[in-house]
Amino acid sequence: MSPKPDVSAERKQQIFEAAIICFGRKGYHLTKMDDIAAEAGLSKGLLYWYFKGKKELFISLFQEIMGQFELAWEAIVNDNNSSATEKILTTLSLFRSEFKEFTSFFGVMMEAWVQTLHDEDVVELLDEFYQPYVRMITQVIKQGLANGEFQVTDVEGTTLVLLSMFDGVTLALGMGIFKYDWDKLFDAVSEVTLRALGVSCN
């Protein structure tokens, strides 16, 4: 008899897709594991086989979304055939397309973080979360400075400001604070980013 195929990856993806729908519909606090199981078409017992609880599921979902984005961004940053300006422009395009899809989820993410602010698992996750992004932006800025493409006096400060801007815009839209077209707003984000690096927008 042939061994049964391992469907764990597909099953987790099924759960993640259901969780995004449920969290977007009811928010983190009101969403129950029962809701996610029903949306995924799975038994509650099977859902708990993969995740011990809602917090673990949410953290895994967040890591999955951001992990895929990190891999795509890493490929851009490490492309030896692209200038620093080209890497910034490609990064901005990546942000525009990928984050637009998950804008509502980032609003839910903020709600979840507030409710689990002093949770050790969440604190550890947040401590590690920004490290690769800081490293990658810093790497591109330093390349741009070395090649004479950028004009920046404080690399670390500029890196943190840019990351804060990306986060702020995404979270504000996701939480409904801003009522504005994503693409128009991101046009402004792109212009501000380029000007902050000393790149002409003409």
Side-chain angles (χ1 to χ4, degrees):
M1 179 180 295
S2 300
K4 292 183 178 180
D6 183 1
V7 297
S8 57
E10 291 84 352
R11 190 70 74 208
K12 283 186 177 181
Q13 188 60 39
Q14 182 181 355
I15 293 170
F16 287 154
E17 290 173 359
I20 289 175
I21 293 173
C22 291
F23 286 134
R25 182 187 299 146
K26 300 176 69 174
Y28 178 81
H29 177 65
L30 294 178
T31 296
K32 308 299 182 186
M33 291 290 274
D34 286 344
D35 299 324
I36 298 172
E39 185 67 37
L42 302 173
S43 69
K44 189 175 178 180
L46 185 57
L47 183 60
Y48 276 104
W49 173 264
Y50 287 97
F51 301 100
K52 295 178 181 178
K54 182 171 67 172
K55 185 190 76 172
E56 181 180 293
L57 169 54
F58 187 85
I59 288 177
S60 296
L61 173 59
F62 176 78
Q63 290 174 321
E64 174 71 13
I65 292 173
M66 299 313 297
Q68 292 179 5
F69 178 80
E70 183 180 331
L71 286 174
W73 194 5
E74 190 87 49
I76 293 170
V77 170
N78 292 330
D79 182 0
N80 295 326
N81 296 318
S82 297
S83 68
T85 302
E86 289 170 338
K87 290 177 182 179
I88 289 294
L89 292 173
T90 307
T91 294
L92 289 168
S93 295
L94 180 67
F95 269 71
R96 181 191 293 265
S97 61
E98 293 295 321
F99 280 10
K100 183 177 184 179
E101 180 182 356
F102 295 108
T103 300
S104 61
F105 175 75
F106 286 111
V108 177
M109 182 187 74
M110 179 58 72
E111 176 199 353
W113 288 166
V114 169
Q115 294 185 38
T116 57
L117 187 61
H118 301 293
D119 185 286
E120 290 183 2
D121 294 330
V122 175
V123 171
E124 181 179 358
L125 176 65
L126 293 177
D127 283 344
E128 297 176 352
F129 170 63
Y130 283 102
Q131 293 177 14
Y133 302 119
V134 169
R135 173 180 54 78
M136 285 189 282
I137 291 184
T138 299
Q139 180 179 330
V140 175
I141 291 178
K142 287 183 176 179
Q143 177 189 343
L145 285 172
N147 295 340
E149 299 174 64
F150 299 160
Q151 298 178 36
V152 173
T153 56
D154 183 349
V155 174
E156 181 180 6
T158 301
T159 295
L160 297 180
V161 166
L162 291 178
L163 278 176
S164 298
M165 178 177 63
F166 296 144
D167 274 358
V169 167
T170 305
L171 291 174
L173 284 173
M175 296 176 69
I177 297 173
F178 293 164
K179 304 294 184 183
Y180 202 70
D181 179 78
W182 170 262
D183 287 313
K184 288 183 178 179
L185 188 59
F186 216 83
D187 286 341
V189 169
S190 299
E191 181 178 349
V192 170
T193 299
L194 293 173
R195 291 191 184 279
L197 297 172
V199 178
S200 174
C201 298
N202 297 328

